[in-house]
Amino acid sequence: MTVLIQGGTVVNADRTFRADVLCQDGTIAAVGEGLEVPQGATVVDAGGQYVMPGGIDPHTHMQLPFMGTVASEDFYTGTAAGLAGGTTMIIDFVIPSPQTSILSAYQQWREWAEKSVADYSFHVAITWWDDTVHADMGTLVNEYGVNSFKHFMAYKNAIMADDEILVNSFSRARELGAIVTVHAENGELVFRLQQAMIDKGVNGPEGHPLSRPPEVEGEAANRAIRIAEVLNVPLYVVHNSCRQSLEAITRARNEGQRVFGEVLAGHLLVDDSVYQHPDFEVAAAHVMSPPFRSKEHQVALWQGLQSGNLQTTATDHCCFCADQKAMGKDDFRQIPNGTGGVENRLEVLWHHGVSTGKLTMNEFVRVTSTNTAQIFNIYPRKGSIAVGSDADIVVWDPAATKTISAKTHHQNVDYNIFEGMTVTGCASHTLSQGKVVYKDGELDVERGAGRYIDRPAFASFYDALNIKAQRAEPVAVAR
Ligand code: URP
Ligand code: ZN
Ligand code: ZN
């Protein structure tokens, strides 16, 4: 299939320029002014619009079995919803139950994801430890294109990784040339604080943020960072929601440590007043971890994104409908944790980031696509409008306006955390593998068209770490 995107302005992470973009057989074949229209090509008129690398959401949970239920959005509906908002790739999570084979879990998630309509890849969570996990991590890196391992420092008595697991897994990742990622919340403290809330008679959703204050996130982020520092392994901290974890990352980066931070569109734009809503359904719809925070933290997160101390934006798309959230009607600890947003990330970030002057268009591309591609080692195949890159492209109409609503979104969930938000700047067309899959409000997707994307281990990060280790001066110890 041949598509010529004509008359637009290309926005990459490094520069902006007028060019047509020719897509052939799934990749970008030419980028330049005044390209001829090949015979039989479909022409997309991008006049007055921006042509950008499709968004990559590095943090989603499609059809995740979690907290006694299964996320309502599956790989088909979820990747389709992403395309409707200009996101052309997701990195989801394989989350093995403790004591079960991580390789079998990986195969299970691969099977579930076969119905995807856009490209995808997987981080694999390490939820327990023994020699088979050690061996299987090697198989995943060397044979299955997995270069990132996730650790949940919360969710005690379920998937929580304690320090022993972190140390074992981080060391193994170091040997394999993989990056480690963490959900940073101190699970022991959360467990204790949840019980304290229940003891005080606070059973409703308002107990959720009270049991997960920013300090428990800051502590865990700092602990993971220091473990990664000692073991000399690159670290990526997912869904930073507060000043405390951002400060831990910033401090480590200023010390020269290779630490990366992700922020969710939701944490930037939704504040903790939602937990005071008198309607259980509304408050419960916002129960996710870490919780939404006060406006003071939102200001800090925007500054983190602007300064480059936070490099990526994500959604943690993990949808549960009202009947599922109702599992926690009498006890907030039973409300399945998670919110959606894969469809809306680009438009809300454009509206609140680019249109307010907080981000340049190039920075927008960097934090929605390119940085993720670079950190997770799929650049320049993804994250760039360049000859040879995959033709995963969003044509962006900066003048288009819409009001976000669960009534009109494509996401398979009955609530939208951005409900009622009017945004200016939306995807007019999305191309996946060089095919127009979304055009002016209509999806044209094919079940199973999405491909699993291999992500090789990290040559460049590790070259740098090895050089640093070899050159390290002995540290003088004061006596
Ligand atoms: O509440 C959330 N974030 N649910 C999904 C699992 C996780 O912690 O990322
Ligand atoms: Zn998490
Ligand atoms: Zn998550």
Side-chain angles (χ1 to χ4, degrees), residues 59-61 64 93 95 150 152 155 183 238-239 262 264 288-289 315-318:
H59 190 157
T60 66
H61 302 280
L64 174 68
F93 292 82
I95 308 184
K150 169 77 176 284
F152 291 91
Y155 305 122
H183 166 136
V238 310
H239 54 37
E262 169 194 281
L264 306 184
M288 62 96 56
S289 298
T315 59
D316 197 2
H317 188 82
C318 186

Side-chain angles (χ1 to χ4, degrees), residues 353-375:
V354 178
S355 301
T356 57
K358 289 191 180 84
L359 300 174
T360 66
M361 292 192 296
N362 308 92
E363 286 164 346
F364 171 83
V365 168
R366 214 170 285 162
V367 302
T368 55
S369 183
T370 310
N371 283 350
T372 289
Q374 292 183 336
I375 292 168

Side-chain angles (χ1 to χ4, degrees), residues 62-83:
M62 304 304 173
Q63 63 189 87
L64 174 68
F66 192 49
M67 295 184 72
T69 184
V70 178
S72 59
E73 188 89 271
D74 70 20
F75 282 92
Y76 174 72
T77 57
T79 49
L83 290 175

Side-chain angles (χ1 to χ4, degrees), residues 202-219:
V202 182
N203 299 336
E206 69 280 12
H208 178 72
L210 296 173
S211 64
R212 313 181 93 101
E215 290 73 19
V216 309
E217 184 175 339
E219 186 283 324

